[in-house]
Amino acid sequence: MKVTIDRLGHLGDGIAQGPLGAIFVPGMLPGEEVEGDLQGDQLADFRIVTPSVNRVKPPCAHAKTCGGCMMQHASDAFVADWKLGIVKGALAGQGLEAEFRPIITSPPKSRRRATIAARRTKTGALMGFHARASDMVVEVPNCQLLHPDLIATFPGLQALVKLGGSRTAEVSLTVTRSLSGADVMVVGGKPLDGQLQLELARVTETYGFARLTWNGDTVALRTAPMQRFGRALVSPPPGAFLQATVEGEQALLGTVALAIGSAKKIVDLFAGVGTFALPLAERAEVHAVEGEAAMTAALAKAANNTEGLKRVTVETRDLFRRPLEDDEFKGVEAVVIDPPRAGAEAQMAVLARSKVPVIASVSCNPISFARDAKVLIAGGYHLDWVQVVDQFRWSAHVELVAKFSRP
Ligand SMILES: C[S@@+](CC[C@H](N)C(=O)[O-])C[C@H]1O[C@@H](n2cnc3c(N)ncnc32)[C@H](O)[C@@H]1O
């Protein structure tokens, strides 16, 4: 059967209209003609009859087998347009439109954190990313996504898996690049005993990791893993949220700063360890609110240790259950809000009736963003512009900053 792909699904798979409904073909681009055997709603054993002008040779040697990147077969220009289209589509779903600033995409080899799957084998350790929709682990020594410093940790990570991994169950290794070495967090490793702890500490030393956390316990701390946010140095707790690339973080921060202009009193909601709060405190008073106590503690400590910042206050608070109330926005000149994927329904409802002049809304989920945007607009805010930031290149993931202001 021959079909023509007419659109991409939310994970980047090609979709064609067949006689009985949608047909899904992975790794395709709109306009491509493809021939294969129809099995359910999938095309199997397919071959491309007419390729798209947007098709490129995947830059990564692992693209065929690794499920980490879904869009390596598409040109950068196509992916940029597609991601802009995802955000425009989400807004249109709420009956909204916006002016879009040109997309900012992080370069290849810039990811500073990754979660890697691993399994101990007869002879050593198998480590990498999952194949597409599969449990199979694909080794990725030439990954085009990860920062070279992360690739350089692979031998050390393999040594950890050999020591404390299992041959029957998978281990998950989250590795984050820091100024003082890799911060490694392992989940699913063998239970700790004295001997294992000693050996893990030895591997941490040998490979120069900053910290090793094993099944939730910090088993080795050579030196605190540090991140820089503006002038401030922060030591995030294990597993703390960080933007995926330094370039993406700078793009988000620059755009947030542009949105809030010369505001002198700022509230940063879902503040994490201070990605926005700390650099913004170089020119404005900031109240940072975050749900995880270990993260607010790291933020507060960094603020106290940094010379020349304006006043920074922090608060640990569940903003889903207990959003900031009307009177807490009194005198606030700008709000930065960067919720998790679920969005910030309760907090947006309060903001929508507030008098805050500017809101810089950061989001990793266009659907919840569009829903929240509708609430602000219904409350009288104007959506001035949207900046899409792509720090997950070759994936279907999108991030954005939007400026809302009260006319
Ligand atoms: C997308 S991250 C943004 C963090 C920070 N703005 C940054 O850029 O690094 C969302 C943050 O919201 C926090 N969070 C999640 N649920 C929360 C809740 N119910 N109340 C307050 N904070 C929450 C997470 O711990 C995380 O730090």
Side-chain angles (χ1 to χ4, degrees):
M1 155 174 227
K2 189 153 85 176
V3 295
T4 303
I5 303 299
D6 56 31
R7 64 188 198 279
L8 297 186
H10 69 285
L11 292 177
D13 35 358
I15 303 178
Q17 204 47 49
L20 299 175
I23 298 173
F24 296 87
V25 198
M28 291 298 124
L29 294 173
E32 291 190 317
E33 274 190 314
V34 56
E35 200 166 40
D37 301 330
L38 187 62
Q39 291 181 4
D41 60 0
Q42 313 272 328
L43 211 58
D45 295 329
F46 57 84
R47 67 176 188 94
I48 302 171
V49 180
T50 317
S52 160
V53 290
N54 294 312
R55 180 168 285 278
V56 296
K57 185 173 180 292
C60 178
H62 313 299
K64 259 217 164 98
T65 45
C66 176
C69 292
M70 311 309 283
M71 296 304 292
Q72 289 235 343
H73 56 289
S75 66
D76 286 355
F78 175 86
V79 175
D81 269 359
W82 176 56
K83 293 203 177 190
L84 284 172
I86 291 174
V87 182
K88 287 178 184 169
L91 284 171
Q94 298 288 349
L96 303 174
E97 277 181 348
E99 184 189 311
F100 278 74
R101 295 165 56 80
I103 190 169
I104 306 174
T105 303
S106 293
K109 301 186 178 181
S110 62
R111 277 285 289 275
R112 67 163 163 204
R113 65 177 168 87
T115 298
I116 292 163
R119 210 179 272 272
R120 190 162 62 81
T121 63
K122 248 187 195 162
T123 49
L126 174 67
M127 207 182 77
F129 293 126
H130 286 135
R132 191 184 148 85
S134 157
D135 282 351
M136 203 176 85
V137 173
V138 177
E139 291 190 313
V140 289
N142 298 310
C143 176
Q144 297 298 301
L145 210 54
L146 302 185
H147 190 284
D149 287 356
L150 291 195
I151 303 270
T153 65
F154 283 10
L157 300 184
Q158 270 164 338
L160 293 176
V161 177
K162 277 192 222 170
L163 276 177
S166 151
R167 281 175 62 184
T168 48
E170 215 172 84
V171 180
S172 141
L173 305 121
T174 300
V175 55
T176 306
R177 181 173 175 245
S178 91
L179 297 173
S180 37
D183 187 9
V184 181
M185 191 176 85
V186 179
V187 175
K190 276 192 216 161
L192 273 179
D193 59 24
Q195 179 65 22
L196 181 58
Q197 184 148 353
L198 272 177
E199 289 174 354
L200 292 173
R202 186 177 45 74
V203 171
T204 305
E205 197 59 44
T206 306
Y207 290 93
F209 295 152
R211 171 170 61 189
L212 174 63
T213 311
W214 193 264
N215 297 344
D217 292 325
T218 296
V219 295
L221 181 64
R222 274 184 64 245
T223 168
M226 302 305 288
Q227 303 291 342
R228 176 174 288 287
F229 299 119
R231 247 181 264 157
L233 283 171
V234 181
S235 174
F241 177 90
L242 281 181
Q243 298 295 342
T245 69
V246 170
E247 292 82 353
E249 178 186 295
Q250 288 307 309
L252 293 170
L253 172 63
T255 315
V256 163
L258 178 73
I260 65 178
S262 58
K264 289 280 169 277
K265 192 170 176 194
I266 299 169
V267 168
D268 180 11
L269 300 169
F270 303 92
V273 291
T275 304
F276 304 125
L278 290 164
L280 293 177
E282 292 176 19
R283 57 194 174 96
E285 200 176 294
V286 181
H287 181 57
V289 188
E290 156 65 40
E292 292 285 333
M295 289 169 82
T296 28
L299 199 171
K301 186 172 171 196
N304 285 337
N305 289 342
T306 310
E307 300 265 315
L309 296 186
K310 307 270 187 240
R311 198 162 98 96
V312 177
T313 48
V314 301
E315 185 180 352
T316 305
R317 178 157 165 175
D318 183 336
L319 291 167
F320 290 170
R321 289 164 190 266
R322 221 162 56 79
L324 259 65
E325 296 297 344
D326 304 65
D327 58 334
E328 293 174 281
F329 290 113
K330 234 187 201 156
V332 171
E333 293 174 17
V335 163
V336 180
I337 182 162
D338 182 13
R341 290 191 68 75
E345 202 177 349
Q347 188 62 80
M348 289 296 183
V350 182
L351 278 171
R353 55 175 191 257
S354 78
K355 293 195 170 55
V356 175
V358 181
I359 298 171
S361 171
V362 185
S363 172
C364 58
N365 180 352
I367 300 292
S368 58
F369 161 72
R371 195 192 58 214
D372 289 347
K374 191 170 184 180
V375 173
L376 292 180
I377 290 166
Y381 278 92
H382 181 257
L383 172 50
D384 295 350
W385 45 253
V386 177
Q387 168 74 67
V388 174
V389 173
D390 184 7
Q391 39 178 353
F392 292 91
R393 57 181 302 139
W394 301 311
S395 80
H397 215 84
V398 195
E399 263 154 299
L400 62 92
V401 180
K403 179 182 176 187
F404 294 88
S405 60
R406 274 224 178 270

